[in-house]
Amino acid sequence: MNEKINTFLSSDLLERYLLGDTTSAETAQVESYIARYPEVQNAYNVLQHHLEIVAKSNAIEAPKSVLNNILETLDDKPVIKLKPTYKYKKWYRFSVAASIAAIIFASTSYLFYTQNLKLSKENQIVVEEIFDLRDDIAQNNLRLDSVMRQLLNLNNPETEKYIIKGNERAKDLKTVAYINSKEKTSMIDVVSLPQLPEEQCYQIWAELQGKMVSLGILSETDRQLKSLPYTEDALALKITIEPKGGSTDNTASLDNAVADITLH
């Protein structure tokens, strides 16, 4: 591999290209390298595969929509027609007109007051929804950052991949473990787990010199790439069938082991 390709692969352009975080110039450069160099094409395919693994464990829910607030149009006020049957004095007509004007003014003021109160409440709802939307955006950014970190970890040359298959007791069992002894990280992808009776569960263990350390419960309903406790100097990984809730005293039921793999 020439120095030019090696420099390109050592950068984060491919990862950012997959996440849509490149400029137009960077996009053109990445697509050119993918088309021209088989090594880059192969690295791109591997990244796509890893991204698919990570993506299924991070379902990003859509954000809440902000409601549009529409003020109802005020109906035209009815016209009051006065048909006097008597001849009122001029001052009396003025007092009646003034009373009617006062009533109309009071009614209009009340309508504007209630309308402003309603608008204030609706504005408060909009403000709260905007804050909720900002929280959703922040959560999505955190998820994206987590996806990026997991992708980089999966693509790290120091990360070892272990495919754990079930024995005769659980032929359909399949999980994939990713362990990086340099970064001291451990993840597992639950691909498939045969169904167990309700009173039983699968438990994964790290085997050390002379003892077993529980790494947690595996569940078919929790099929996603997730972190496991990193165990220094682990010799192997084992999966056993335990009573519901798992063994709490770090005593693995080795007679009920359904899968194991030796670590490098």
Side-chain angles (χ1 to χ4, degrees):
M1 186 182 299
N2 62 45
E3 184 177 352
K4 182 178 181 180
I5 297 176
N6 188 47
T7 300
F8 175 82
L9 292 178
S10 299
S11 68
D12 63 346
L13 278 176
L14 271 181
E15 288 87 345
R16 291 195 291 109
Y17 174 74
L18 277 171
L19 296 174
D21 194 29
T22 53
T23 64
S24 57
E26 289 173 336
T27 298
Q29 181 186 2
V30 172
E31 292 175 350
S32 172
Y33 271 64
I34 292 174
R36 292 170 57 190
Y37 302 112
E39 298 92 337
V40 178
Q41 175 69 46
N42 182 58
Y44 174 72
N45 291 337
V46 171
L47 281 176
Q48 276 192 316
H49 173 68
H50 288 167
L51 185 59
E52 289 175 1
I53 294 175
V54 174
K56 73 178 184 180
S57 65
N58 293 276
I60 302 171
E61 299 182 359
K64 297 178 182 178
S65 60
V66 178
L67 299 177
N68 293 325
N69 297 283
I70 304 174
L71 295 176
E72 297 179 358
T73 304
L74 294 174
D75 295 333
D76 292 335
K77 301 178 180 60
V79 177
I80 300 176
K81 296 182 179 180
L82 299 176
K83 296 181 179 180
T85 57
Y86 301 98
K87 293 182 179 179
Y88 298 99
K89 293 182 179 180
K90 192 173 183 179
W91 64 268
Y92 187 75
R93 291 200 301 268
F94 285 157
S95 64
V96 171
S99 299
I100 293 173
I103 293 173
I104 293 175
F105 176 77
S107 300
T108 304
S109 298
Y110 177 75
L111 286 175
F112 278 120
Y113 170 76
T114 56
Q115 197 68 39
N116 287 336
L117 186 61
K118 179 181 177 182
L119 181 60
S120 177
K121 292 180 179 179
E122 290 174 347
N123 286 341
Q124 182 61 34
I125 292 174
V126 172
V127 169
E128 292 174 356
E129 290 178 346
I130 289 175
F131 277 107
D132 289 340
L133 183 59
R134 288 177 177 174
D135 288 340
D136 290 339
I137 292 174
Q139 290 297 323
N140 290 339
N141 287 337
L142 289 176
R143 292 191 185 101
L144 181 60
D145 181 68
S146 177
V147 169
M148 186 65 177
R149 291 177 182 275
Q150 290 181 340
L151 179 61
L152 290 175
N153 192 20
L154 290 180
N155 194 48
N156 192 321
E158 300 291 335
T159 300
E160 298 287 346
K161 176 181 177 181
Y162 299 92
I163 298 176
I164 309 173
K165 295 183 178 181
N167 56 23
E168 292 296 323
R169 302 184 60 182
K171 293 181 179 180
D172 294 332
L173 184 149
K174 184 177 181 181
T175 62
V176 183
Y178 300 90
I179 300 176
N180 188 317
S181 57
K182 184 178 180 180
E183 300 292 335
K184 299 188 183 305
T185 59
S186 179
M187 296 184 294
I188 191 167
D189 177 28
V190 177
V191 179
S192 63
L193 289 175
Q195 189 172 2
L196 288 174
E198 186 177 350
E199 66 275 8
Q200 293 180 327
C201 69
Y202 292 103
Q203 190 166 357
I204 185 168
W205 306 81
E207 180 182 355
L208 299 176
Q209 290 287 357
K211 67 176 182 178
M212 305 292 291
V213 177
S214 175
L215 301 182
I217 304 297
L218 299 180
S219 172
E220 178 68 19
T221 59
D222 190 29
R223 294 179 57 187
Q224 60 180 354
L225 185 68
K226 64 177 184 179
S227 296
L228 289 178
Y230 177 78
T231 307
E232 191 77 38
D233 300 325
L235 302 177
L237 294 177
K238 294 182 182 293
I239 298 176
T240 62
I241 297 176
E242 304 290 342
K244 184 177 181 181
S247 174
T248 58
D249 57 359
N250 275 343
T251 303
S253 303
L254 296 181
D255 291 340
N256 292 329
V258 292
D260 66 87
I261 192 168
T262 302
L263 303 180
H264 300 323

